[in-house]
Amino acid sequence: MIKIAVPNKGALSEHALGVLKEAGYKGRGMTKALNVVDEANGVEFFFLRPKDIAIYVAQGHLDLGITGRDLAADSRANVDEVLELGFGASTFRFAAPQGETWTVEALEGKRIATSYPHLVEDYLAARGIAPGAVIRLDGAVEISIKLGVADVIADVVSTGATLRQQGLAPFGDPILASEAVVVKRQGFELSEDHTRVLNRITGILTAHNYLMIDYNVSRDHLDQATALTPGITGPTVSPLSRDGWVAVRAMVRKSQANQVMDQLASIGAEGILATELRIARL
């Protein structure tokens, strides 16, 4: 039976459980169960702290794990990413009081507060920068400068609203761009059963991110139309009873659908319809 780790709480957990449910797997229900056995699909799910998941996977106790890229990196666990999930996006950045001028090079000898000390240490070491101290805090990192604990912080930034509330501003390039990912142990060969799980998840993510576009267009404008809707492996083109016209079907990214529909209309396409997808296999 395949063993898969899932975050036990927070936004990553909610999104991951939603995708797994849509992919046909047994949910956690209303309980606080630490594991759920899905006999029908040959999978056992373990609900663990997101920060610990990469460690369990790296040690071979679990086959796959869903966690954040930043959490996996900070754990220093020997894992590889096998699938990007496209949710839980954030950046990990240095920040200092607004109005002050900072560079990453200026962190030499300075105090840095963070909930991800290993990630910070590895990033600075790769650039030959030795901070005075990397101070681990489990929360409320933004207030540490005001309290005199640190000179700057390094933290996860989604919208930046929390930083602004504390009078802070990010500086330097992002340390890491993160999102939810599926990880496996380095050197571990995925079986057909593992691949089936990943394909199911990919199918749900594809359905979330794409729409099916159908439209009719004259053959004179077919090349223009299919350039706008190339699809995944090519659009489906079928003849119509209307002389010189064809019906076209293709998948387009949901985020681009309205723009594509506008462009199709501008070249004379008619009957342009967008349909939601539920599940896909590509």
Side-chain angles (χ1 to χ4, degrees):
M1 182 167 284
I2 296 173
K3 297 180 179 180
I4 301 176
V6 181
N8 63 348
K9 60 182 179 180
L12 285 184
S13 177
E14 294 173 11
H15 279 92
L17 288 172
V19 169
L20 290 170
K21 182 178 180 180
E22 290 186 69
Y25 293 106
K26 187 174 180 179
R28 193 180 186 185
M30 298 300 291
T31 71
K32 295 293 185 181
L34 297 180
N35 68 302
V36 169
V37 177
D38 185 343
E39 293 281 0
N41 290 298
V43 178
E44 184 172 7
F45 296 102
F46 292 83
F47 301 96
L48 307 171
R49 289 192 350 143
K51 282 193 172 185
D52 298 335
I53 286 175
I55 297 172
Y56 281 106
V57 172
Q59 293 179 354
H61 303 298
L62 299 165
D63 299 300
L64 300 169
I66 298 174
T67 187
R69 179 179 293 129
D70 50 357
L71 298 171
D74 190 61
S75 73
R76 290 176 174 164
N78 294 321
V79 295
D80 291 326
E81 293 182 17
V82 293
L83 184 63
E84 296 178 345
L85 298 178
F87 58 82
S90 65
T91 56
F92 189 65
R93 304 194 65 178
F94 293 112
Q98 294 174 359
E100 295 185 7
T101 301
W102 282 83
T103 63
V104 173
E105 290 72 23
L107 294 174
E108 183 80 27
K110 297 297 189 292
R111 300 168 302 162
I112 306 168
T114 184
S115 297
Y116 299 78
H118 294 152
L119 188 51
V120 171
E121 289 167 354
D122 293 345
Y123 180 85
L124 294 178
R127 287 153 181 79
I129 298 169
V134 176
I135 303 158
R136 177 172 183 168
L137 299 175
D138 288 331
V141 174
E142 298 85 0
I143 200 68
S144 62
I145 298 175
K146 187 175 292 185
L147 292 175
V149 173
D151 302 303
V152 301
I153 67 167
D155 202 16
V156 173
V157 179
S158 295
T159 65
T162 304
L163 289 181
R164 290 191 294 272
Q165 288 172 2
Q166 295 300 321
L168 304 178
F171 66 89
D173 294 330
I175 300 168
L176 182 73
S178 185
E179 66 178 293
V181 295
V182 180
V183 297
K184 72 172 184 67
R185 182 172 78 255
Q186 288 182 358
F188 178 62
E189 294 294 328
L190 297 178
S191 69
E192 187 175 322
D193 291 337
H194 295 118
T195 302
R196 184 180 301 113
V197 172
L198 296 175
N199 286 342
R200 279 201 189 187
I201 294 173
T202 300
I204 298 303
L205 297 176
T206 300
H208 286 177
N209 295 320
Y210 284 84
L211 293 173
M212 186 67 74
I213 294 286
D214 290 274
Y215 59 91
N216 300 333
V217 70
S218 71
R219 287 191 179 275
D220 291 340
H221 295 118
L222 180 58
D223 288 345
Q224 289 175 272
T226 54
L228 294 171
T229 59
I232 303 299
T233 56
T236 299
V237 180
S238 305
L240 289 174
S241 59
R242 182 179 178 183
D243 189 43
W245 281 65
V246 293
V248 181
R249 164 170 281 198
M251 290 171 60
V252 301
R253 283 197 171 275
K254 189 176 292 187
S255 61
Q256 301 170 355
N258 281 296
Q259 181 182 2
V260 169
M261 294 175 80
D262 291 340
Q263 292 172 319
L264 288 171
S266 72
I267 62 172
E270 299 176 358
I272 308 168
L273 304 175
T275 307
E276 293 276 358
L277 302 174
R278 293 293 303 274
I279 304 173
R281 294 288 189 277
L282 302 179

